Amino acid sequence: MKCARCEKEFLFEFHSVSHWLKASTLDDRQLSFILYNYGSPICEDCENDLRDSFYAYGVNPNHRQSTKRKG
């Protein structure tokens, strides 16, 4: 499977996306962000990067950018 974020090939070891969702260590907001923005699971390296940086600014990066454009 190709990672939708970095486009690197990776082995998706789950039978379905729902199994991946249940087994993931990411929280609901992080999982929702991945599925909304990428449409499919991402590789482990990208998951780790997302986990480490998702709350770094206290707000979703897409939301922060969209509010800057409005004001």
Side-chain angles (χ1 to χ4, degrees):
M1 177 178 226
K2 196 176 216 179
C3 177
R5 184 172 183 248
C6 70
E7 299 186 359
K8 177 178 75 174
E9 287 290 329
F10 73 102
L11 177 62
F12 186 67
E13 298 176 351
F14 299 95
H15 297 292
S16 67
V17 173
S18 62
H19 286 108
W20 170 73
L21 291 171
K22 290 176 186 173
S24 179
T25 58
L26 299 174
D27 67 29
D28 290 342
R29 288 182 181 177
Q30 294 165 330
L31 291 168
S32 296
F33 178 84
I34 290 170
L35 293 176
Y36 180 79
N37 289 287
Y38 303 112
S40 64
I42 56 177
C43 70
E44 188 174 351
D45 291 338
C46 287
E47 271 190 36
N48 292 335
D49 184 45
L50 182 85
R51 181 184 303 108
D52 294 342
S53 64
F54 192 77
Y55 294 109
Y57 298 102
V59 68
N60 175 317
N62 287 342
H63 176 73
R64 187 172 38 135
Q65 289 174 346
S66 68
T67 55
K68 279 184 182 179
R69 287 184 219 139
K70 290 178 185 176

